[in-house]
Amino acid sequence: MDLRAHWRGRERYTVFATTYGDGADARALQADWLADPDRPARLHIVALTAELQPGFHRIPQDDPRLTLTLLAMPLDAALAQLSAQPDAVFLDALVGTGFVRPLARIVARDARLSAVSLDEGQRAALAGQGFVFGSDHDAVFASRKPRLPVPPVP
């Protein structure tokens, strides 16, 4: 998902990812941000990791306009404690649908969502909480008002 068009004209942009991995995705996002002359003044990346001691970890960056926060905790605990309002969310390797309502409570209006491994139940739960899917993997958060899933057309 290319975020450059979405972040243009904003003062700050926050991204939340459920996996940090080796940091390659975060570095690629930082490179896109640095290369874009129309980028927001500040970029905050928040990601879950299992590689650190439990808690919130602010990782110093060379550029003070860039913030990287790693959360070493389960997703449900992170969503309950997160005060950031993500403008973009990357979901990966999730089980169940318990994360959907807490996620919908914290995301910014018009937040972008990318998830390559959703099952039908997760996709329906996200749609029920206001995420509108434009493709199999990408959605836009349109409303905080829950909606009932639409049954498939026979």
Side-chain angles (χ1 to χ4, degrees):
M1 173 171 55
D2 185 356
L3 299 176
R4 289 174 288 194
H6 191 240
W7 70 33
R8 289 198 174 117
R10 297 176 188 240
E11 174 62 25
R12 60 127 188 100
Y13 198 82
T14 302
V15 177
F16 176 70
T18 57
T19 56
Y20 181 70
D22 63 4
D25 291 338
R27 286 189 299 276
L29 181 59
Q30 291 171 9
D32 286 347
W33 177 76
L34 286 168
D36 187 349
D38 297 322
R39 68 182 173 259
R42 291 198 288 274
L43 176 65
H44 187 186
I45 301 171
V46 180
L48 297 182
T49 184
E51 305 301 318
L52 300 170
Q53 292 294 319
F56 282 66
H57 303 274
R58 185 69 47 98
I59 309 301
Q61 302 297 301
D62 292 334
D63 189 327
R65 301 168 301 161
L66 179 62
T67 304
L68 174 61
T69 304
L70 298 180
L71 309 178
M73 61 186 64
L75 177 59
D76 59 339
L79 292 174
Q81 296 179 46
L82 204 58
S83 62
Q85 251 193 332
D87 300 294
V89 177
F90 292 89
L91 302 178
D92 186 37
L94 300 175
V95 176
T97 59
F99 67 92
V100 174
R101 182 173 279 166
L103 178 66
R105 272 195 282 255
I106 67 165
V107 295
R109 186 160 184 79
D110 289 332
R112 302 305 194 246
L113 179 135
S114 180
V116 295
S117 58
L118 292 178
D119 63 34
E120 285 304 313
Q122 292 168 330
R123 188 178 164 94
L126 286 162
Q129 288 296 316
F131 288 91
V132 177
F133 284 85
S135 73
D136 286 341
H137 308 296
D138 296 332
V140 174
F141 184 68
S143 171
R144 294 204 188 284
K145 183 178 179 183
R147 295 181 298 179
L148 295 174
V150 177
V153 177

